[in-house]
Amino acid sequence: MSILHSSYLQRVFSTIDRNGDGHVSVDELSQLLSRLGVSTSLDELEEIAGGTRLNLQEFISFYESIYTRDDGDDGENDLVEAFRVFDLNGDGFISCGELHSVLSRLGMWVENEGDCARMIGEFDTNLDGQIDLKEFKNMMLRCMR
């Protein structure tokens, strides 16, 4: 099972597909990964993706192949890694500023940090104004439904 629900993956796909041709090229994937601070060559991405571009179904399969593991951790390591992408300062919490910054870099957020505060408030069970790893896991589980 993937960490993200397919409807969310469709939004991610549309965001990455900057030219709107219904395909995500390895170049577009490379640009996204670069914004996340992940360095990979186009040849490596092409090998992983199995081609130079992916349609929506191929993109979802590509994503799921990355997050489908048979290592017995039930995605725990993937959740921790995803959490680290958002926890920019490494303090163990995702603040409004960090959430806004990452979503902006991904081209997925154009509104102000107040919207991030509302988003965080929905999952902030201890009411400290931040998302910790446990709250992040709960949020991701809810998104998978």
Side-chain angles (χ1 to χ4, degrees):
M1 180 185 305
S2 70
I3 292 176
L4 299 176
H5 190 274
S6 63
S7 64
Y8 185 75
L9 287 172
Q10 289 173 339
R11 287 186 290 186
V12 171
F13 179 86
S14 295
T15 301
I16 298 170
D17 181 19
R18 295 216 183 260
N19 64 5
D21 68 354
H23 289 86
V24 171
S25 68
V26 291
D27 186 54
E28 289 167 322
L29 282 173
S30 177
Q31 291 173 25
L32 171 71
L33 292 172
S34 178
R35 285 181 284 197
L36 289 171
V38 176
S39 175
T40 186
S41 72
L42 291 177
D43 290 336
E44 184 180 7
L45 274 179
E46 188 174 328
E47 183 178 325
I48 293 168
T52 59
R53 62 190 206 150
L54 305 168
N55 65 27
L56 177 60
Q57 288 305 318
E58 292 166 335
F59 176 77
I60 290 172
S61 294
F62 169 73
Y63 171 83
E64 288 177 346
S65 74
I66 293 170
Y67 285 100
T68 302
R69 304 212 196 300
D70 189 22
D71 57 9
D73 74 357
D74 294 327
E76 181 78 19
N77 291 333
D78 294 332
L79 281 170
V80 171
E81 288 304 313
F83 180 82
R84 287 183 183 150
V85 168
F86 287 91
D87 181 16
L88 298 176
N89 65 5
D91 67 354
F93 300 96
I94 300 171
S95 68
C96 290
E98 288 169 320
L99 179 62
H100 186 263
S101 177
V102 172
L103 292 177
S104 294
R105 282 191 318 207
L106 293 173
M108 300 175 71
W109 200 267
V110 293
E111 301 298 325
N112 60 44
E113 285 188 30
D115 293 326
C116 290
R118 283 190 294 280
M119 189 177 186
I120 283 178
E122 187 173 340
F123 300 99
D124 180 18
T125 56
N126 64 5
L127 304 175
D128 65 355
Q130 304 176 96
I131 297 292
D132 60 30
L133 182 58
K134 181 180 176 185
E135 293 163 334
F136 183 78
K137 289 177 187 177
N138 290 334
M139 178 179 70
M140 298 312 288
L141 287 172
R142 183 171 166 194
C143 291
M144 289 177 7
R145 292 184 200 151

